[in-house]
Amino acid sequence: DAGITQSPRHKVTETGTPVTLRCHQTENHRYMYWYRQDPGHGLRLIHYSYGVKDTDKGEVSDGYSVSRSKTEDFLLTLESATSSQTSVYFCAISGTNGPPNTDTQYFGPGTRLTVL
Amino acid sequence: AQTVTQSQPEMSVQEAETVTLSCTYDTSENNYYLFWYKQPPSRQMILVIRQEAYKQQNATENRFSVNFQKAAKSFSLKISDSQLGDTAMYFCAFMKPDATSGTYKYIFGTGTRLKVLA
């Protein structure tokens, strides 16, 4: 299994507070992704990174920001959490050495976030 | 825009039997990849099988195989000799390379919850 960890694994917070989720990889993979999983929606891409300091928006990026200052860490920040951001968040990585390494995503264990 | 449809929200199968999960997708791309992921109650997303669109041969991984019909844009997953440990949510995913960023964009279906009955 790819070496991907997420922290925290569970978090309960209140509306209006900032929250940062961390994804850490030990695979030296170039690409990293943040998804949210909600019932009836599958996984939806929030933001992704294609290199250090290189990030872009996914389909549900409103209310989220990301940063990637080094290859192994990809941070997802909710500047002011809302109840609609209650979800399970997954980090994923993929590599750079050609198929199947580049096209196959491997997922972290997920973070369950509850915004009250 | 690409879409992925899994029309079976829930399915059940008897242990040792065979079950097929359906997935259809919509795209105008010619170069893409298709995946099935399994998500057991532990919530971990686990890759089950991968298919390149340019390959006509259907992918197989032990008890898991796909029926890839490119013209029909269909990508079904067959699980043979079902085991209790196969109980999970199964997600179909479509992926295409993004020419701008060099990365790969995934589109996921909404999932099929499979229960294997003893």
Side-chain angles (χ1 to χ4, degrees), chain B residues 1-21:
Chain B
Q2 287 82 13
T3 58
V4 176
T5 302
Q6 293 181 249
S7 58
Q8 305 151 315
E10 294 186 356
M11 296 186 71
S12 62
V13 62
Q14 289 294 135
E15 197 175 8
E17 296 293 309
T18 295
V19 64
T20 299
L21 281 58

Side-chain angles (χ1 to χ4, degrees), chain A residues 40-89:
Chain A
H41 290 277
L43 277 77
R44 292 180 292 174
L45 182 64
I46 304 172
H47 282 279
Y48 64 98
S49 170
Y50 46 96
V52 174
K53 300 190 187 299
D54 291 323
T55 65
D56 205 348
K57 297 178 180 180
E59 62 177 309
V60 290
S61 58
D62 287 349
Y64 301 95
S65 63
V66 290
S67 65
R68 191 170 179 200
S69 58
K70 47 186 177 179
T71 299
E72 56 266 34
D73 289 326
F74 192 33
L75 304 181
L76 177 70
T77 297
L78 291 67
E79 300 290 347
S80 178
T82 67
S83 58
S84 65
Q85 293 175 313
T86 292
S87 187
V88 178
Y89 292 85

Side-chain angles (χ1 to χ4, degrees), chain B residues 8-117:
Chain B
Q8 305 151 315
E10 294 186 356
M11 296 186 71
S12 62
V13 62
Q14 289 294 135
E15 197 175 8
E17 296 293 309
T18 295
V19 64
T20 299
L21 281 58
S22 66
C23 173
T24 58
Y25 57 95
D26 185 26
T27 185
S28 57
E29 303 282 339
N30 194 47
N31 177 30
Y32 55 89
Y33 300 80
L34 297 161
F35 302 82
W36 279 98
Y37 282 88
K38 168 185 177 181
Q39 187 180 42
S42 66
R43 206 169 64 201
Q44 179 71 49
M45 292 285 287
I46 302 166
L47 176 68
V48 174
I49 203 163
R50 167 183 174 276
Q51 173 83 42
E52 298 99 330
Y54 63 85
K55 287 188 177 180
Q56 293 188 343
Q57 185 175 5
N58 290 325
T60 299
E61 289 288 343
N62 301 314
R63 296 182 296 106
F64 298 88
S65 61
V66 298
N67 183 8
F68 174 47
Q69 302 288 330
K70 190 172 183 179
K73 298 179 183 176
S74 172
F75 184 60
S76 61
L77 175 69
K78 185 172 82 171
I79 306 174
S80 303
D81 186 25
S82 298
Q83 301 175 0
L84 296 177
D86 295 333
T87 292
M89 181 75 88
Y90 287 82
F91 291 97
C92 177
F94 166 96
M95 188 279 289
K96 72 175 183 73
D98 183 86
T100 302
S101 66
T103 187
Y104 293 77
K105 297 284 188 66
Y106 272 54
I107 305 295
F108 285 85
T110 52
T112 295
R113 188 176 300 280
L114 176 68
K115 186 170 185 179
V116 180
L117 307 172

